[in-house]
Amino acid sequence: MKKILTIVFLCILFLILDNTLMPLLKINGAYPSLIFTFALCYSIVSSPKDAVVIGIYAGVLQDVYFFNGFGINMLSNMLMCVLANYIGKNIFVEKSFLPIISSFVLSIVKGLMVFCILFLVRQYTNIGVIFYHAIYNLIVSIFMYKFTYKLSQKEYMKTEWKF
């Protein structure tokens, strides 16, 4: 129960920071996504089931503020978190270099996925923002991964979800 409350609290906190503080750091229309970066970092160090759950939950929270189409962030976050979990299974999660680079690449892939889905439904967006967004997420993931890895090593975070 403590694990679930911790994840829910952190996701809501990062969502609030994403929508209040992060737009102040905007460069060329892009700013980092704390909740997406947290979801990726947590997916790398957790189980596949946890990766799917946090991907969907973080995506739903992002979709609340996404006016162009509900469900796009939920789908793309879930897929990126599953990929992040697959990457996390095949690397040494104690080292932070590959997870940080993975966060950068997955941010680009998510941006392209959202751009393509929005293009198909005739909602045109600026594709140039994707690279800046990914660079911002790279910088944030340097700190976020260390925080998430230390969090995942706590005893109450190692328990399984019970639904």
Side-chain angles (χ1 to χ4, degrees), residues 39-40 43 47-49 51-55 76-89 106:
L40 285 180
S43 296
S47 69
K49 187 173 159 184
V52 170
V53 169
I54 196 164
S76 60
N77 281 9
M78 183 194 66
L79 292 174
M80 295 305 106
C81 287
V82 168
L83 284 173
N85 182 262
Y86 181 75
I87 291 168
K89 283 183 179 180
L106 292 173

Side-chain angles (χ1 to χ4, degrees), residues 62-63 66-74 118 121 123:
Q62 283 183 319
D63 278 335
F66 192 60
F67 300 116
N68 295 336
F70 189 82
I72 294 173
N73 281 314
M74 183 174 55
L118 288 175
V121 296
Q123 294 287 329

